[in-house]
C-alpha cells in the first residue's frame, strides 16, 4: 500500500539546482555549493554526511570528478599500508581506486548507485548527449540524528491496536482446510499487507542536483 509523498517529492521545490557543466552534468563546484547550502540549514556546523543517490551516469561522473580533485588538489598521492619492502623495483601496488566518498570542508558525501535511476521506461527524457537525464540526477539525503532521532525514518502505520507494518492471515477457500469457508477460490490463500511511510523531518538539509537540459 503506497500512500503519501516519497523522499523526492518531499525535497522538490527546495534546494534544487541544475548542473553547470557543458553537457548539463554536475561539477565538483556544484557539489561544494550544495554542501554549503545544506549545511547552513542543518543542525550541525561541521561533520555532516550526506548519502547521494544517483544512477550509472551520475556515479561515473562523480568518480571522474573526485579522481581529478584528488590528483589536482591532493597531489594524487596514496598511502599504502605495510612495512617497507626490499623488493627490487619496490612494492607492487594496484593502479586505480574507487572514488565514491568526497571529504570536503569538514563534511562528507557518499555516492550510492541506484538502479532505478537507469529505468528507461520510467524516465525516458534524454539530454543533448543522448543519455538519460535521470541517470545523472543527484539526491542529497541528510541521514543525521538530532537528539537521538534520525532525520529520515521509515515508520509503520498503526490502527485499532494493529501494527500495519506487517499483517498476515490465511483465507480458507473452497478446497482449503477448516470448518469455515470465506472465499470461493479453489485454494487456501495466504495474504500479507504492509503499510509503511517514509518521513523526512528537515527537508531543507537535503537537496537535488538535476542534469540540465542543454
Amino acid at each position: 500500500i503506497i500512500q503519501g509523498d516519497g523522499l523526492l517529492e518531499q525535497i522538490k521545490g527546495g534546494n534544487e539546482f541544475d548542473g553547470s557543466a557543458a553537457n548539463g552534468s554536475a561539477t565538483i563546484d556544484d557539489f561544494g555549493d550544495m554542501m554549503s547550502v545544506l549545511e547552513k540549514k542543518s543542525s550541525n556546523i561541521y561533520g555532516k554526511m550526506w548519502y547521494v543517490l544517483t544512477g550509472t551516469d551520475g556515479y561515473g561522473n562523480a568518480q571522474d570528478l573526485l579522481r581529478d580533485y584528488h590528483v589536482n588538489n591532493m597531489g594524487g598521492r596514496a598511502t599504502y599500508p605495510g612495512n617497507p619492502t626490499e623488493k627490487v623495483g619496490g612494492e607492487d601496488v594496484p593502479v586505480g581506486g574507487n572514488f565514491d566518498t568526497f571529504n570536503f570542508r569538514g563534511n562528507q558525501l557518499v555516492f550510492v548507485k541506484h538502479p532505478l535511476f537507469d529505468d528507461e521506461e520510467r524516465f525516458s527524457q534524454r539530454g543533448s548527449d543522448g543519455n538519460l537525464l535521470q541517470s545523472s540526477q543527484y539526491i542529497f539525503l541528510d541521514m543525521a540524528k538530532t537528539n537521538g532521532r534520525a532525520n529520515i525514518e521509515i515508520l509503520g502505520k498503526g490502527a485499532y491496536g494493529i501494527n500495519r507494518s506487517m499483517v498476515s492471515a490465511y483465507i480458507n477457500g473452497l478446497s482449503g482446510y477448516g470448518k469455515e469457508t470465506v472465499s470461493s477460490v479453489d485454494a487456501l490463500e495466504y495474504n500479507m499487507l504492509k503499510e509503511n511511510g517514509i518521513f523526512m523531518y528537515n527537508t531543507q538539509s537535503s537537496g537535488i542536483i538535476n542534469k540540465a537540459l542543454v
Side-chain angles (χ1 to χ4, degrees), residues 62-151:
Q63 287 260 311
D64 292 341
L65 293 176
L66 269 58
R67 178 202 62 214
D68 293 344
Y69 180 86
H70 176 72
V71 171
N72 296 331
N73 295 279
M74 302 176 66
R77 291 186 174 88
T79 301
Y80 306 117
N83 297 321
T85 177
E86 296 181 0
K87 179 180 178 181
V88 176
E91 183 180 0
D92 292 330
V93 178
V95 176
N98 188 28
F99 293 85
D100 56 8
T101 302
F102 183 33
N103 292 309
F104 188 62
R105 298 177 183 172
N107 298 316
Q108 185 180 79
L109 301 180
V110 179
F111 292 88
V112 181
K113 188 191 300 185
H114 197 308
L116 179 64
F117 286 57
D118 300 315
D119 189 338
E120 298 184 11
E121 295 184 0
R122 180 174 302 211
F123 309 106
S124 59
Q125 193 173 18
R126 295 181 180 272
S128 58
D129 55 4
N131 295 323
L132 293 177
L133 293 180
Q134 183 65 35
S135 186
S136 292
Q137 184 185 62
Y138 297 97
I139 302 179
F140 292 68
L141 299 179
D142 178 11
M143 306 292 287
K145 288 186 177 182
T146 302
N147 297 325
R149 187 184 72 175
N151 185 47

Side-chain angles (χ1 to χ4, degrees), residues 7 35 71-72 81 94 96 124 135 142 157 185 195 206 209 211:
L7 291 178
M35 293 172 74
V71 171
N72 296 331
S124 59
S135 186
D142 178 11
K157 182 178 180 180
V185 176
E195 189 172 4
S206 296
I209 298 181
K211 181 175 181 179

Side-chain angles (χ1 to χ4, degrees), residues 130-207:
N131 295 323
L132 293 177
L133 293 180
Q134 183 65 35
S135 186
S136 292
Q137 184 185 62
Y138 297 97
I139 302 179
F140 292 68
L141 299 179
D142 178 11
M143 306 292 287
K145 288 186 177 182
T146 302
N147 297 325
R149 187 184 72 175
N151 185 47
I152 299 177
E153 290 185 322
I154 298 178
L155 302 177
K157 182 178 180 180
Y160 306 107
I162 300 176
N163 183 358
R164 296 174 66 87
S165 62
M166 178 54 70
V167 182
S168 62
Y170 285 98
I171 306 297
N172 195 38
L174 292 175
S175 60
Y177 67 86
K179 296 181 179 180
E180 183 179 2
T181 300
V182 296
S183 170
S184 61
V185 176
D186 186 18
L188 174 67
E189 291 185 340
Y190 180 71
N191 290 261
M192 293 184 295
L193 178 148
K194 182 180 181 69
E195 189 172 4
N196 284 350
I198 188 165
F199 301 88
M200 178 180 293
Y201 300 107
N202 181 9
T203 60
Q204 292 300 305
S205 60
S206 296

